[in-house]
């Protein structure tokens, strides 16, 4: 049962101290700022400035120091703001403008929305964070989430469908993410790997994590989390345990995170509205066009078995299809897909 009373959300929100925010605002231009100048602007001692720098580094923010010139964030930072994100929403989603929350730091945007639903009752909600301390990936993996260098977005959505009927939701959200990238001019060599990986030249650019919560027989809340690498700093990149890439590598230039966040949100909302009415069927063709494993050699690993064969796309439920040597088609609801292309 969900509580209907509005209570404080019982989850750690890691608020940045105002001094830290102010300092970040100054350094976000990517230029050098001397300790003395920062001290003057923020009315703080040099040692207080040094302590703030140390704290910023704990958020995974790359800050360089030069004895003569001071501190600098190489490449600068574009912080997310609601107004710039909302500017990219179609008119039909005007109602969602005031549902957007942007946090500095959360353990995980998915966990935050789950807690929000439990505490305040159900509402469609949208949450971005600049940083996650315990970002969640599929199959219990971590999602490395450095400050202001990627998109971490979660949406809470209510469906009047059973979990079985929602088995294609993650795939639809992955297609929506690719469509958003295309709208931003990023299209070449982008593909999808079942069930939730957005790839560029076989390297992971983003991922989707869908979590379902039931309430009544046919009412389900979905929390849809999307992570998209924009400009991962070297230090954070070293912690990622699979081949990865980011938008800066693809475009060879800096990219507006607010634009990407707004276009992505708009596309996810559009696809959710469609999926709610039509289910997975109208999306299957699009999936097959983007499917990195279609007609390729694949190995499927489940807790019970490992099967090799040829990727044969997805069925109407969004299950992965594999054709074995005997031309028999096997369907998998949940598994690890390893591609050998
Ligand atoms: C995966 O590819 O394994 C899924 C990654 C999903 C990451 C996003 S980031 C925003 C949201 N919050 C989380 O904790 N995870 C998702």
């Amino acid at each position: 049962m969900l509580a209907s009373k509005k209570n404080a959300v019982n989850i750690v929100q890691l608020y940045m101290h105002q001094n830290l925010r102010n300092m970040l605002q100054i350094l976000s231009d990517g230029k050098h700022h001397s300790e003395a100048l920062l001290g003057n602007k923020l009315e703080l001692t040099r040692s207080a400035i040094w302590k703030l720098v140390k704290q910023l580094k704990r958020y995974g923010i790359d800050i360089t120091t030069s004895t003569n010139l001071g501190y600098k964030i190489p490449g600068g930072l574009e912080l997310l703001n609601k107004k710039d994100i909302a500017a990219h929403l179609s008119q039909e989603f005007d109602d969602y403008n005031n549902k957007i929350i942007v946090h500095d730091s959360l353990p995980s945007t998915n966990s935050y929305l789950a807690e929000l639903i439990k505490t305040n009752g159900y509402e469609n909600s949208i949450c971005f964070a600049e940083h996650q301390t315990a970002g969640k990936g599929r199959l219990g993996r971590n999602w490395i989430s450095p400050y202001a260098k990627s998109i971490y977005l979660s949406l809470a959505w209510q469906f009047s469908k059973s979990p079985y009927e929602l088995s294609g939701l993650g795939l639809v959200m992955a297609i929506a993410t690719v469509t958003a990238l295309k709208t931003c001019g990023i299209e070449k060599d982008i593909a999808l790997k079942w069930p939730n990986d957005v790839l560029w030249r076989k390297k992971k650019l983003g991922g989707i994590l869908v979590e379902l919560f039931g309430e009544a027989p046919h009412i389900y809340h979905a929390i849809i989390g999307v992570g998209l690498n924009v400009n991962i700093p070297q230090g954070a990149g070293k912690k990622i345990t699979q081949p990865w890439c980011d938008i800066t590598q693809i475009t060879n230039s800096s990219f507006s995170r607010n634009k990407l966040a707004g276009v992505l949100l708009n596309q996810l909302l559009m696809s959710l509205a469609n999926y709610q009415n039509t289910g997975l069927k109208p999306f299957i063709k699009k999936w097959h066009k983007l499917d990195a494993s279609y007609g390729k050699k694949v190995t499927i690993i489940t807790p019970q078995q490992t099967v090799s064969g040829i990727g044969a796309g997805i069925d109407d439920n969004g299950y992965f299809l594999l054709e074995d040597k005997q031309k028999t088609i096997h369907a998998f609801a949940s598994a690890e897909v390893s591609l050998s292309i």
Side-chain angles (χ1 to χ4, degrees), residues 227-246:
L228 209 46
N229 300 334
V230 178
N231 187 10
I232 302 282
Q234 261 187 9
K238 284 191 187 136
K239 296 184 194 151
I240 304 178
T241 53
Q242 59 185 314
W244 63 273
C245 66
D246 61 20

Side-chain angles (χ1 to χ4, degrees), residues 107-111 127 132 134-139 141-143 145 151-154 196-198 204 206-211 224-228 242:
S108 145
T109 51
N110 267 33
S111 308
C127 170
Q132 299 183 117
K136 297 190 291 184
R138 245 184 99 242
L139 306 170
R141 295 190 184 115
N142 292 333
W143 190 256
S145 310
I151 304 287
Y152 319 117
L153 159 64
S154 294
N196 71 329
D197 288 4
V198 181
K204 186 139 170 171
I208 322 292
L209 176 69
V210 174
E211 295 177 283
I224 300 140
V226 184
L228 209 46
Q242 59 185 314

Side-chain angles (χ1 to χ4, degrees), residues 109-149:
T109 51
N110 267 33
S111 308
Y112 174 79
L113 284 189
E115 200 59 44
L116 197 71
I117 288 173
K118 272 193 226 148
T119 315
N120 291 350
Y122 186 78
E123 239 177 79
N124 281 0
S125 322
I126 298 158
C127 170
F128 288 92
E130 295 287 16
H131 175 244
Q132 299 183 117
T133 53
K136 297 190 291 184
R138 245 184 99 242
L139 306 170
R141 295 190 184 115
N142 292 333
W143 190 256
I144 304 296
S145 310
Y147 193 93
K149 290 293 185 183

Side-chain angles (χ1 to χ4, degrees), residues 80 109 128-130 132 136 143-154 173-184 186 190-192 196-200 203-209 225-233 240 244-248 250 255-265 267-268:
L80 293 178
T109 51
F128 288 92
E130 295 287 16
Q132 299 183 117
K136 297 190 291 184
W143 190 256
I144 304 296
S145 310
Y147 193 93
K149 290 293 185 183
S150 284
I151 304 287
Y152 319 117
L153 159 64
S154 294
M173 295 296 94
I175 296 170
T177 305
V178 173
T179 310
L181 289 168
K182 189 173 165 183
T183 309
C184 293
I186 302 162
I190 298 282
L192 290 172
N196 71 329
D197 288 4
V198 181
L199 306 178
W200 178 71
K203 291 184 277 190
K204 186 139 170 171
L205 173 63
I208 322 292
L209 176 69
V226 184
L228 209 46
N229 300 334
V230 178
N231 187 10
I232 302 282
I240 304 178
W244 63 273
C245 66
D246 61 20
I247 287 179
T248 309
I250 301 175
F255 202 86
S256 164
R257 282 197 318 130
N258 279 296
K259 176 177 173 187
L260 185 61
V263 171
L264 174 64
L265 176 59
Q267 198 56 53
L268 294 172

